[in-house]
Amino acid sequence: MPVSSDYRADPQFFALGDEYGDAVRPARFPETLLRVRNDRAAATVGLETLTDAEWVAHFGRFEPLPGQPGPVAMRYHGHQFRTYNPDIGDGRGFLAAQMRETSLKPPGAAREAVANRADGRLLDLGTKGSGTTPWSRSGDGRLTLKGGVREVLAAAMLESQGVPTSKALSLIETGEALERGDEPSPTRSAVLVRLQHSHVRFGTFQRAAFFGRTDMVETLVEHVRSLYHPGVTAGDAPALLAAIVAASARLTARWIAAGFVHGVLNTDNLNVTGESFDYGPWRFLPSYDPGFTAAYFDQTGLYAFARQPEAVFWNLTQLAGCLKLVADPAPLTDALNGFGPAYIRELRAAFLERLGVTSLGEAADQRLLDATLALLREKGEEIRWEPLFHDWFAGFSSSARALSGPRAKIWQGETFDAFRFALFEHEPDRPERLESPIFARPEPEEMLIDEVEAIWAAIDADDDWAALHDKLARLEAIRAARA
């Protein structure tokens, strides 16, 4: 058997039937060249034992994994830049498989105690660039290789920073020449497989509500509640909304702490588990800039860096509108009103985690958050976003390192003094993490657009993948060191 004994198929979404998705055939590609294989992610669902040939068979030709019924293009609608679109759905991807998470312990811990547990999270394998579906409209159902590389990089960087994110499981080059209007063409093609907790989107509910299908909304509520928020009582749509609000607040706060701009926060790009996915025109901040946008077509700045909390909340209100088919408005409104307080709590927690210090209580934690943002604002012309978190990780324990490093002359002035005072109030959280070699480096690991373009240029011009794999290895070292 190609999969390990830990693999446990559990195709729950497929069992909902053809009103929620369409059985599709994957594209037949001229080539299947394995470019990225994420064995650490694969091990969480028992797929790390696949040979490269088996890997390509399952994730390049999409031969079904054991116990999986075959791919389904999920049906959903969505607000795209706040304009409702009833004609979308999985247009260049599909849900390929669902299985239970098996590795519930930290990497390196014994797995035999958890291998057969029934309560592992349900995880999806979803694709991007796997061919046309009934929802492709005029598209070719393909993904550019550059787009695949960018998604691999975004997911790895976000995971290293503690952001809930999909994992780029596989990237396979497919040997087609694609024409695109917004980049040099023809360009190389690829198919991506991502691993994530759920592909059920806000837009999945919107489609059911659009057709007035109370029965479908009820089915989705129970499906999502039982599989992703089991603490919610059966039939309690407001409590389910509250759980999704909380998860979304956590995700948004961690985007902000990471200096990340998703770029396209449409209702079909947010899911019910509060997990970031589907990376198109993303960016990381070079330095503090509330109006920084990732997408060249976001001309009004709707999804700019500092407007992301507003955008997520607006999308949550659309989800709440769907749930009015099965619940009274008042408790749904109460659930929505929880977003603001939850976001502020999560933002404090996210900044403390990024700075590597423990909580000292709401007042002190807020003081540190305010002081950090004030310093980033004031020093925006002098420092990039990421170096502050690199230099001052673990607070007082990094003093000598930061004040003798390449930015020593920047760390001065009244605003810095306020930051340092607020930071030193807090105890370092596991300061032994500073023993990692990553903190001996003068510069942090970043993901700015010039480096992304340089990594792609080496692949495009010389088929040189070394820079990409070196970058992924460094990001994995950061993830492990900070974990």
Side-chain angles (χ1 to χ4, degrees):
M1 188 176 190
V3 297
S4 81
S5 58
D6 288 344
Y7 169 85
R8 289 179 294 142
D10 193 7
Q12 292 277 344
F13 186 85
F14 300 82
L16 292 179
D18 57 11
E19 289 189 310
Y20 300 86
D22 300 89
V24 292
R25 291 179 180 270
R28 297 174 65 90
F29 299 117
E31 295 179 339
T32 46
L33 304 174
L34 180 55
R35 297 303 193 183
V36 174
R37 170 178 171 146
N38 187 340
D39 278 320
R40 183 174 62 82
T44 66
V45 287
L47 295 175
E48 78 281 13
T49 56
L50 295 174
T51 66
D52 281 355
E54 291 164 342
W55 188 281
V56 169
H58 291 303
F59 306 135
R61 294 192 298 275
F62 295 100
E63 297 173 9
L65 287 160
Q68 305 292 345
V72 166
M74 298 174 73
R75 296 182 176 188
Y76 48 86
H77 289 178
H79 278 91
Q80 299 183 309
F81 285 82
R82 301 199 177 168
T83 298
Y84 196 78
N85 188 344
D87 297 320
I88 58 175
D90 277 342
R92 57 171 175 169
F94 49 64
L95 182 64
Q98 291 182 297
M99 62 280 295
R100 289 287 170 175
E101 186 176 46
T102 59
S103 182
L104 303 182
K105 291 193 173 186
R111 297 177 59 195
E112 56 270 16
V114 298
N116 295 313
R117 283 179 59 172
D119 59 348
R121 294 187 309 159
L122 183 66
L123 297 180
D124 294 355
L125 294 182
T127 69
K128 193 172 184 178
S130 49
T132 56
T133 77
W135 311 106
S136 299
R137 293 175 288 172
S138 59
D140 60 13
R142 267 53 174 184
L143 171 69
T144 67
L145 182 60
K146 183 178 183 180
V149 167
R150 285 173 47 82
E151 179 137 349
V152 168
L153 288 169
M157 183 67 178
L158 289 170
E159 188 181 10
S160 77
Q161 296 176 313
V163 178
T165 178
S166 61
K167 314 298 188 292
L169 181 79
S170 173
L171 183 67
I172 292 175
E173 188 170 359
T174 54
E176 295 179 310
L178 303 181
E179 295 291 333
R180 293 292 185 266
D182 56 354
E183 61 182 279
S185 296
T187 188
R188 293 155 72 176
S189 60
V191 62
L192 176 89
V193 177
R194 67 168 75 96
L195 177 70
Q196 70 184 63
H197 194 18
S198 177
H199 282 79
V200 177
R201 300 156 168 85
F202 294 2
T204 310
F205 283 84
Q206 286 182 290
R207 182 179 184 277
F210 179 83
F211 291 113
R213 293 290 301 273
T214 300
D215 59 326
M216 290 182 68
V217 174
E218 289 174 339
T219 296
L220 286 169
V221 166
E222 178 58 21
H223 177 82
V224 170
R225 180 207 66 79
S226 63
L227 294 173
Y228 306 114
H229 299 288
V232 173
T233 303
D236 193 343
L240 177 62
L241 178 62
I244 297 171
V245 164
S248 301
R250 182 173 186 269
L251 170 62
T252 311
R254 286 172 181 257
W255 279 340
I256 297 300
F260 179 71
V261 188
H262 185 283
V264 186
L265 289 180
N266 298 331
T267 55
D268 56 305
N269 283 339
L270 290 174
N271 72 355
V272 296
T273 55
E275 190 176 34
S276 185
F277 73 107
D278 201 8
Y279 302 113
W282 55 267
R283 292 285 191 278
F284 284 86
L285 289 183
S287 57
Y288 183 84
D289 181 357
F292 187 86
T293 57
Y296 70 88
F297 46 81
D298 187 5
Q299 297 176 353
T300 65
L302 181 63
Y303 298 146
F305 171 68
R307 296 186 68 183
Q308 291 180 115
E310 171 199 339
V312 171
F313 180 73
W314 190 90
N315 289 339
L316 285 164
T317 66
Q318 308 314 304
L319 175 61
C322 301
L323 296 178
K324 287 197 296 184
L325 287 178
V326 298
D328 292 333
L332 294 173
T333 300
D334 290 342
L336 282 176
N337 288 340
F339 179 82
Y343 170 71
I344 295 300
R345 287 194 304 271
E346 292 290 353
L347 194 63
R348 288 194 293 262
F351 270 75
L352 262 62
E353 186 174 306
R354 294 233 57 211
L355 288 164
V357 294
T358 61
S359 173
L360 194 60
E362 182 176 321
D365 294 351
Q366 186 65 43
R367 199 156 47 241
L368 178 54
L369 171 60
D370 293 341
T372 305
L373 290 172
L375 185 61
L376 285 165
R377 278 194 299 269
E378 180 180 284
K379 301 290 186 180
E381 297 295 320
E382 301 175 78
I383 62 167
R384 302 180 307 279
W385 183 272
E386 200 62 25
L388 181 143
F389 299 99
H390 176 76
D391 285 7
W392 292 101
F393 187 77
F396 178 79
S397 298
S398 280
S399 289
R401 181 174 66 92
L403 295 176
S404 62
R407 284 164 290 278
K409 293 182 179 179
I410 295 175
W411 306 130
Q412 55 185 310
E414 290 184 10
T415 306
F416 170 70
D417 289 341
F419 164 77
R420 182 164 57 173
F421 177 81
L423 182 64
F424 289 0
E425 282 187 297
H426 294 73
E427 292 292 325
D429 179 15
R430 293 166 289 152
E432 65 274 11
R433 291 183 288 173
L434 290 173
E435 298 172 9
S436 168
I438 71 168
F439 293 108
R441 301 171 188 166
E443 298 296 337
E445 202 63 46
E446 297 175 273
M447 189 70 76
L448 302 181
I449 190 61
D450 288 348
E451 183 182 13
V452 175
E453 292 294 337
I455 289 171
W456 167 247
I459 294 169
D460 187 37
D462 303 315
D463 207 32
D464 181 356
W465 292 79
L468 173 66
H469 289 291
D470 287 349
K471 183 70 172 181
L472 294 177
R474 294 196 302 273
L475 292 175
E476 170 58 16
I478 291 172
R479 184 204 64 80
R482 287 176 172 263

